[in-house]
Amino acid sequence: MFKYAADIIKGVLSLCEGLGVTLKHFFRKPFTLRYPDVRPEIPLRFRGRLVLPVDPDKGAHRCTACMMCVKACPNRSIEIEKETGEDGKPKPRAAKYYYNLGTCIFCNMCVESCPFAAIVMSDEYELAVYDRETLMQELTAENLRLDGAKGAWWKSKFREETAAGKGEASNG
Amino acid sequence: MENGEEMELIRELLYNSGEPLSEFYRWLHKAWAGFSVPPVFLDLMIQFAVAAAVFGFVAVNALWIIYYERKFSAKLQIRIGPNRVGPLGLLQTVADTVKLLIKEDINPSKVDRVVFILAPGIVFLGTFLTMLVIPFGNGLIAADLSIGILYILAVSGLAVIGLLAGGWASNNKYSLMGGMRSAAQIVAYEIPVLVVILGIVMLAGTMKMGGIVEAQAGYRWFVIYQPIAFLIFLIAANAEINRAPFDLPEAESELVSGFITEYSGMKFAFFFLAEYTNLFIVSAVAVTLFLGGWEGPFFPPFVWFIIKTYAVVTVLMWMRWTFPRIRVDHLMQFSWKYLLPIALVNLLVTAIVIKFI
Amino acid sequence: MTVRELLEKIKQKAEIEDSKEDLGVLNAYVKPSSLRSLLIYMRDSLGFDWMSFMTALDMPQENTIEAVYELFSNSSKDSARIKVKLSRQAAEVETVSDIYRTAEWHEREAAEMFGITFKNHPHPENLILTPDIKAPLRKDFSGGDMKRMPE
Amino acid sequence: MEQKTAFEIQELTSDEYVLSMGPQHPATHGVLRILLRMDGEVVVNLQPDPGYIHSSIEKICENRKYDQVMPYTDRMDYLSAVSYNLAYALAVEKLMGLEVPNRGRHIRVILAEMNRIMSHLLWFAAYGIDMGALTPIWYAFRERENLITLIEMQTGNRLTHHALRIGGVKNDLPTGFVEGLNKFLENFNDMVDEYEALFIDNVIFKARTKSIGVLKKENAISYGVTGPNLRASGCDIDLRKLAPYSGYENFSFEVCSEKNGDSWDRCKIRMNEMRQSASILRQAIDTLPEGEISAKAPKIIKPTPGGCYAKVEGPRGEVGAYVVSAGTDKPYRVKFRSPSFSNLSALNEMCAGVKIADLVAIMGSLDIVIPEIDR
């Protein structure tokens, strides 16, 4: 009989403890980020979609079609077509840079392998599309200018490298 | 018995409540006497008007209560809740309802069609009928039956038929299990509720809803005399309307959605409507039985009734969003081993006290 | 226990075809017939109470499949890798799922991935794959749309 | 294609029926099917049926270079990617004889412990849903979000971090990381106390988990159950203490263990482990050494032929990578030993004669991650 009553009291107390926790939270401020209205802060190292930005110094992209990124990609998401000169020989420059967003696993290996800091993973994170076809992207046609913190960071990266005169450095 | 006498009796039964409404009915009848149409048509029209009013109230109230629950739970869970449709998200549930109503109404091919379609109707009917005897204010009651509280117990028992029928007709093992659970649960928890109400009826000396409220006039609310009964009523009634922590019939993580697994569209909306109206009814009955009904200073009776009811609703929601779900055999044990004995002792003590003091 | 000591001990109990030390862990190739008695001995007498995993290695150039049993002792912190060489055409070995219960699922996985038959296994049906895919982890497996990576 | 049937119809008595739980079921935490042989609400027998989302990562790895395998290891246990990274990296480093610098090892420990807390928080959240308590998830996700934001700062991604490289880590800690972590750790223990008050110590919860799903010690060892599930059975085996790796021997922490091996013990252990992980994190950021973060690994990784099995203590138990090298630039075979695989295989042992609600409670307390089983 005593145990019966003690069980009830103990049970009710533990329930009240739980009610207390939720009540405490009732008076706390919501933790929600009101997403489409308020945008999250994107850290510098964020790995979004791959982009081939335009080098403001040259007015064109920096890719030399060395195929390092193609080899580094663990998922075969990149394909490059080289530019052909007037003599029919391929030139060290990418004419078409195909990037398959559908198979990309955002591992950053292509960016790390690039000796010329030509590619970078951007801040874009809303990557859903309605059409499977649009997942296959051609990056040279975009002529994207990378601005903001990421852009400044990227520019400082390759300017540093060209100033130091070394073609090869890690990026990312 | 002559026809006129019979009608008079029914009228007496239906309209014999307090002041404003029956005054209005009498005035209508007097006006109606000017035409040469039998008064039975007027009665019918009044019945329809009352039914429509109750239905409208049920629907609007359910919409509001869903919105309120979503906002309240959001607050407990440090988030914002609906805030997109309408100002402060007020129209969110309206939009949801419209969505449910225009959605395709799927009848799976293996269901028992008639029962499957009838089940949500039965569940809703039980809820709707209960609403008729809720005293919103002095005289503001659709039908103040002399057996009001008994009527509530009887009619709310209809719901279990609906739930069981829905679970069985769905031809789904999860649904069947949900239906079975709800039957067992409602039967088990009806008894503590009954015993608790018995104590109140003994105190009030009447089963009429209005009478019970009047018995508590002068702030002699029964919650003061019967605090344990109040708690037992809240818990058992919460279990009877299948809300968390007693939401075993639909137990999402165990039975997918229990008896409503196969339901969609309009039929699902009916279950949903019934569930939230039940929440309101249980709170309203708790207010009527224990918290002095519409009684209160300054505000009109109707406002007081709503305020008190929503206070009880809030407590039930608070419980829902805090506790984990109870297990099915613990649920039975809880009813038979804890609630029922305590309720019986409570009843006995009440009886002795009333008899000798 | 050093690798050498361990090898000496198990040599008395089982027929060891070959053995080598691989980064401080004993790799012992055991005759399939003495696998079960060896594992029972190791579990009961040498304290190898733990089987981390069981898997297989396909060696098409030697025409064998090696069943690998990785054992660990929680008390002495020793590891041992027991291997059994099976022929690729008729890969068949006794189950050890009654010695180490964890082997039951690992053997089921290895059975469907490598096409090994485990005799006396309590649940010989497939665990992961559908029956129309045969031994995908063998080196010569060619599925419909498998592509090689660019070199 | 023939259908898998675990129970023959003849086996069933007239009272029993087969219930197919999953592959789409709220309690199976992913795409897992469990065939239940039921008698009313009571589970007579059960047969898990994984494999619905098999991603054949082991086969993919045979066709990738050693460094290209690393992002795939993230994707087996998306709740604590670093533990798989670490197991694989340790195996390859051992094959190559690489020594990771002190700071690199330290950062690995920080990331691994953050992952452990993140994973346990998600378990707590999901277990709340399993048990019908809908509020714990929001509180747990608040803390988890803080941690994920920090990890995102460090690695650039939120779940599949790809944070480790063979030889060390990719990035040094960014500015503001240590401050952020300190701020998080300041009131984390209070939060864990709150979670316990809300959920773990609740009388309903206790009634549902105490002496439910008991796994005996010898069964746990025989089934290869690891991690908190093993330690709940009264066996204080923690690879961080038993076979320290990546500099865990430099940190002082307790191995949490309980006696009974029931669901409640498994929960309690995870709550305590979060506190211990927080203490390790505190020590790690206090004693963060200076220096290199990564050893100089060659550009093309070609380990000497041989096999190596490296294991780490993940949030769910022993995470292992058995890497066999044939001397080429691609691994000959990679076998991942996933804790959930072994833990789930012991489910039948725990579930005989329980109710279906208990089954949910037991499965939740095992903390399984399906992609880890369907590697």
Side-chain angles (χ1 to χ4, degrees):
Chain A
M1 188 66 210
F2 178 73
K3 194 177 167 291
Y4 181 82
D7 274 359
I8 293 177
I9 291 168
K10 235 162 67 188
V12 170
L13 278 182
S14 86
L15 293 179
C16 290
E17 216 179 319
L19 287 172
V21 173
T22 38
L23 186 68
K24 213 165 23 171
H25 281 80
F26 185 83
F27 297 107
R28 288 196 183 149
K29 246 177 67 190
F31 190 70
T32 319
L33 179 85
R34 311 188 74 161
Y35 162 56
D37 303 337
V38 185
R39 297 262 151 182
E41 212 175 293
I42 303 293
L44 208 55
R45 288 171 184 168
F46 183 78
R47 309 203 293 265
R49 186 175 74 93
L50 188 71
V51 289
L52 184 67
V54 172
D55 179 357
D57 302 348
K58 277 164 67 180
H61 68 78
R62 294 173 59 84
C63 181
T64 58
C66 69
M67 302 290 169
M68 291 299 278
C69 48
V70 180
K71 282 175 197 158
C73 179
N75 229 3
R76 279 180 51 159
S77 299
I78 303 172
E79 266 169 51
I80 301 177
E81 261 176 40
K82 277 188 185 174
E83 219 167 78
T84 40
E86 269 134 46
D87 51 351
K89 276 188 189 163
K91 285 206 299 191
R93 200 175 153 66
K96 295 266 161 78
Y97 194 104
Y98 293 108
Y99 165 60
N100 190 347
L101 185 60
T103 58
C104 177
I105 58 174
F106 305 101
C107 64
N108 211 27
M109 304 262 283
C110 49
V111 179
E112 282 161 33
S113 72
C114 183
F116 304 101
I119 44 177
V120 67
M121 294 201 118
S122 73
D123 283 350
E124 287 169 59
Y125 50 87
E126 289 158 321
L127 300 174
V129 291
Y130 282 102
D131 188 4
R132 240 166 216 279
E133 307 288 297
T134 46
L135 287 171
M136 193 72 186
Q137 296 173 347
E138 210 281 284
L139 296 186
T140 51
E142 271 185 343
N143 273 328
L144 184 112
R145 288 189 182 274
L146 201 59
D147 299 316
K150 195 105 183 185
W153 177 66
W154 172 66
K155 278 168 207 157
S156 73
K157 207 97 204 162
F158 69 71
R159 278 192 189 131
E160 210 173 86
E161 277 157 25
T162 33
K166 42 175 190 166
E168 200 174 301
S170 73
N171 176 23
Chain B
M1 204 186 290
E2 268 179 55
N3 194 22
E5 266 181 50
E6 199 175 37
M7 286 315 297
E8 205 56 44
L9 194 73
I10 293 172
R11 216 168 289 144
E12 200 56 37
L13 253 175
L14 289 176
Y15 310 145
N16 64 355
S17 56
E19 290 318 296
L21 266 183
S22 13
E23 284 298 322
F24 178 64
Y25 290 148
R26 272 183 211 116
W27 176 82
L28 266 182
H29 270 281
K30 256 181 217 152
W32 191 262
F35 307 99
S36 55
V37 187
V40 66
F41 285 103
L42 178 66
D43 284 335
L44 272 178
M45 274 164 68
I46 291 174
Q47 297 305 315
F48 274 117
V50 168
V54 171
F55 185 81
F57 179 81
V58 165
V60 173
N61 184 57
L63 287 185
W64 158 250
I65 230 170
I66 292 169
Y67 170 79
Y68 176 61
E69 169 142 52
R70 291 181 66 176
K71 272 290 189 195
F72 181 75
S73 64
K75 202 79 189 84
L76 287 182
Q77 298 172 343
I78 48 168
R79 56 195 175 88
I80 299 167
N83 59 33
R84 291 279 131 185
V85 191
L88 293 171
L90 268 166
L91 297 178
Q92 181 67 50
T93 41
V94 177
D96 288 348
T97 315
V98 170
K99 185 203 80 177
L100 279 177
L101 293 185
I102 61 176
K103 256 176 101 164
E104 187 192 353
D105 198 18
I106 300 166
N107 284 328
S109 56
K110 292 282 164 65
V111 298
D112 187 336
R113 270 184 81 91
V114 178
V115 185
F116 186 75
I117 292 166
L118 269 179
I122 296 172
V123 172
F124 183 71
L125 186 71
T127 311
F128 178 69
L129 290 177
T130 323
M131 207 71 184
L132 291 175
V133 293
I134 301 294
F136 288 94
N138 198 0
L140 198 61
I141 176 168
D144 196 359
L145 305 178
S146 56
I147 48 160
I149 192 71
L150 191 62
Y151 170 84
I152 286 187
L153 286 173
V155 169
S156 65
L158 265 182
V160 65
I161 299 172
L163 300 187
L164 192 53
W168 183 78
S170 294
N171 201 0
N172 175 328
K173 288 165 190 165
Y174 290 115
S175 300
L176 181 60
M177 238 192 271
M180 291 298 197
R181 277 182 177 190
S182 87
Q185 179 174 339
I186 291 178
V187 167
Y189 278 80
E190 196 108 280
I191 296 163
V193 169
L194 199 87
V195 173
V196 161
I197 288 175
L198 212 54
I200 297 297
V201 171
M202 276 157 60
L203 275 176
T206 174
M207 285 202 224
K208 211 163 145 182
M209 295 299 267
I212 290 172
V213 176
E214 273 153 22
Q216 303 175 55
Y219 298 101
R220 288 184 290 115
W221 295 355
F222 288 153
V223 68
I224 305 164
Y225 304 106
Q226 301 262 332
I228 296 171
F230 179 59
L231 273 180
I232 292 175
F233 180 81
L234 268 194
I235 293 168
N238 200 12
E240 231 186 301
I241 56 170
N242 303 332
R243 273 175 65 84
F246 306 101
D247 59 341
L248 289 151
E250 41 180 295
E252 187 217 55
S253 60
E254 295 153 27
L255 305 183
V256 190
S257 265
F259 59 91
I260 41 177
T261 306
E262 300 287 350
Y263 281 97
S264 60
M266 183 106 160
K267 296 202 274 290
F268 174 77
F270 264 94
F271 274 124
F272 215 60
L273 199 65
E275 189 187 326
Y276 277 91
T277 310
N278 271 331
L279 172 64
F280 180 83
I281 287 169
V282 159
S283 308
V285 171
V287 168
T288 311
L289 295 183
F290 293 98
L291 298 177
W294 60 74
E295 196 188 20
F298 312 125
F299 299 120
F302 178 74
V303 176
W304 265 114
F305 185 80
I306 293 291
I307 289 175
K308 284 180 192 172
T309 306
Y310 270 90
V312 178
V313 165
T314 309
V315 170
L316 292 183
M317 283 181 184
W318 186 17
M319 272 159 61
R320 172 182 179 173
W321 293 100
T322 306
F323 298 145
R325 185 180 306 117
I326 205 163
R327 202 175 76 191
V328 64
D329 55 331
H330 293 159
L331 181 91
M332 292 297 147
Q333 275 178 22
F334 185 57
S335 172
W336 299 115
K337 278 170 73 178
Y338 294 92
L339 289 186
L340 188 59
I342 296 173
L344 280 173
V345 169
N346 189 54
L347 180 67
L348 195 68
V349 172
T350 314
I352 291 168
V353 169
I354 289 173
K355 179 77 187 162
F356 294 106
I357 298 168
Chain C
M1 208 172 348
T2 63
V3 171
R4 187 171 296 274
E5 283 167 17
L6 183 60
L7 184 61
E8 289 307 315
K9 273 191 183 155
I10 62 172
K11 258 191 180 156
Q12 297 160 4
K13 287 282 164 187
E15 290 178 70
I16 308 292
E17 290 174 338
D18 187 11
S19 72
K20 65 174 182 202
E21 192 183 334
D22 199 352
L23 295 164
V25 178
L26 171 71
N27 284 17
Y29 292 88
V30 185
K31 269 237 166 83
S33 53
S34 56
L35 171 72
R36 278 182 60 88
S37 56
L38 175 68
L39 289 188
I40 291 173
Y41 168 69
M42 287 181 80
R43 184 191 67 178
D44 293 340
S45 307
L46 299 183
F48 284 94
D49 50 355
W50 191 262
M51 180 183 274
S52 286
F53 63 86
M54 181 270 144
T55 186
L57 292 174
D58 186 25
M59 301 284 186
Q61 60 275 30
E62 299 165 29
N63 198 23
T64 55
I65 283 185
E66 294 175 4
V68 184
Y69 301 84
E70 175 88 24
L71 304 181
F72 183 69
S73 161
N74 282 323
S75 43
S76 66
K77 304 181 195 175
D78 285 324
S79 298
R81 204 167 292 144
I82 308 296
K83 295 186 177 178
V84 183
K85 277 191 179 160
L86 311 167
S87 107
R88 278 186 105 227
Q89 281 73 32
E92 214 179 45
V93 68
E94 283 276 324
T95 177
V96 298
S97 58
D98 51 335
I99 307 171
Y100 296 99
R101 301 290 293 276
T102 183
E104 184 183 324
W105 273 36
H106 280 104
E107 278 178 354
R108 277 171 81 177
E109 198 191 13
E112 62 206 88
M113 292 293 181
F114 288 93
I116 305 174
T117 313
F118 289 93
K119 280 183 281 184
N120 304 330
H121 195 280
H123 289 283
E125 69 266 19
N126 273 13
L127 179 69
I128 286 171
L129 299 178
T130 49
D132 54 336
I133 305 173
K134 296 269 187 273
L137 272 178
R138 286 199 182 192
K139 289 284 174 185
D140 51 5
F141 174 81
S142 58
D145 49 356
M146 267 180 66
K147 285 182 197 146
R148 306 297 297 182
M149 291 293 287
E151 292 301 320
Chain D
M1 211 157 60
E2 68 186 79
Q3 197 71 38
K4 269 194 265 189
T5 47
F7 316 113
E8 297 298 325
I9 300 299
Q10 298 95 297
E11 264 181 41
L12 298 172
T13 66
S14 57
D15 296 348
E16 292 171 351
Y17 61 99
V18 172
L19 185 65
S20 174
M21 193 171 174
Q24 302 292 333
H25 189 281
T28 52
H29 294 258
V31 197
L32 168 72
R33 175 160 165 253
I34 298 179
L35 277 165
L36 304 168
R37 192 167 137 197
M38 307 275 294
D39 179 5
E41 287 236 3
V42 179
V43 178
V44 177
N45 200 346
L46 62 85
Q47 189 73 46
D49 178 11
Y52 282 83
I53 47 168
H54 197 272
S55 45
S56 59
I57 284 179
E58 286 173 10
K59 185 75 179 172
I60 289 172
C61 291
E62 289 177 14
N63 196 16
R64 299 291 187 277
K65 290 175 200 121
Y66 276 95
D67 51 345
Q68 285 179 334
V69 171
M70 193 63 92
Y72 283 96
T73 61
D74 287 337
R75 280 158 175 80
M76 275 173 283
D77 183 357
Y78 46 78
L79 297 181
S80 72
V82 169
S83 50
Y84 273 85
N85 282 182
L86 192 53
Y88 175 72
L90 285 175
V92 177
E93 280 154 14
K94 212 165 170 190
L95 277 172
M96 295 176 66
L98 270 180
E99 189 68 35
V100 183
N102 248 339
R103 190 178 169 86
R105 295 202 302 195
H106 238 80
I107 295 175
R108 281 180 172 189
V109 168
I110 291 176
L111 292 176
E113 290 307 316
M114 284 169 85
N115 266 258
R116 189 185 314 278
I117 295 181
M118 274 159 60
S119 170
H120 283 350
L121 281 174
L122 196 123
W123 159 80
F124 176 75
Y127 201 36
I129 300 285
D130 280 352
M131 304 295 271
L134 301 172
T135 302
I137 182 171
W138 303 98
Y139 302 166
F141 266 63
R142 173 190 52 190
E143 308 308 323
R144 190 163 177 272
E145 178 63 32
N146 288 333
L147 272 180
I148 285 188
T149 314
L150 285 173
I151 290 234
E152 195 186 9
M153 267 168 76
Q154 151 70 9
T155 64
N157 222 334
R158 290 167 71 84
L159 289 180
T160 48
H161 314 308
H162 192 206
L164 269 49
R165 297 293 188 275
I166 290 157
V169 288
K170 173 60 196 151
N171 295 315
D172 206 343
L173 298 179
T175 47
F177 181 89
V178 174
E179 292 76 18
L181 193 54
N182 258 325
K183 204 169 150 234
F184 169 80
L185 292 173
E186 239 167 55
N187 49 14
F188 179 66
N189 276 2
D190 296 344
M191 291 297 159
V192 178
D193 291 346
E194 236 170 48
Y195 301 157
E196 281 196 335
L198 172 66
F199 187 48
I200 304 285
D201 288 339
N202 190 307
V203 64
I204 301 174
F205 180 80
K206 273 188 179 171
R208 282 196 61 182
T209 50
K210 282 232 162 155
S211 65
I212 298 296
V214 176
L215 185 63
K216 292 201 190 73
K217 187 175 168 179
E218 54 273 16
N219 272 338
I221 289 176
S222 183
Y223 269 105
V225 173
T226 43
N229 303 333
L230 173 66
R231 292 193 281 278
S233 303
C235 192
D236 52 353
I237 291 172
D238 189 325
L239 290 174
R240 292 175 292 174
K241 268 269 193 300
L242 192 72
Y245 53 89
S246 195
Y248 266 108
E249 60 273 17
N250 304 327
F251 301 102
S252 69
F253 62 97
E254 274 169 39
V255 176
C256 315
S257 73
E258 301 275 341
K259 293 271 167 335
N260 303 322
D262 54 19
S263 299
W264 196 75
D265 281 359
R266 292 192 273 272
C267 301
K268 198 78 188 162
I269 282 187
R270 290 205 178 85
M271 302 312 277
N272 285 334
E273 260 183 25
M274 281 199 264
R275 297 198 179 97
Q276 294 299 328
S277 288
S279 125
I280 294 178
L281 279 175
R282 247 175 245 125
Q283 295 169 41
I285 51 178
D286 286 345
T287 61
L288 194 64
E290 293 297 318
E292 288 285 306
I293 55 163
S294 188
K296 261 271 171 275
K299 231 175 162 86
I300 294 165
I301 296 166
K302 272 191 188 170
T304 47
C308 177
Y309 178 63
K311 50 193 172 181
V312 303
E313 181 76 23
R316 268 157 281 282
E318 177 183 330
V319 174
Y322 176 50
V323 182
V324 180
S325 157
T328 58
D329 62 341
K330 289 174 180 171
Y332 188 77
R333 165 118 172 83
V334 186
K335 154 85 186 172
F336 289 103
R337 190 254 186 227
S338 60
S340 293
F341 188 81
S342 305
N343 292 354
L344 186 66
S345 71
L347 186 65
N348 204 358
E349 199 67 30
M350 296 178 232
C351 287
V354 300
K355 301 206 167 40
I356 188 165
D358 292 334
L359 174 68
V360 173
I362 294 167
M363 273 206 346
S365 75
L366 281 181
D367 189 17
I368 46 174
V369 168
I370 308 300
E372 209 180 31
I373 298 164
D374 298 351
R375 277 149 292 128

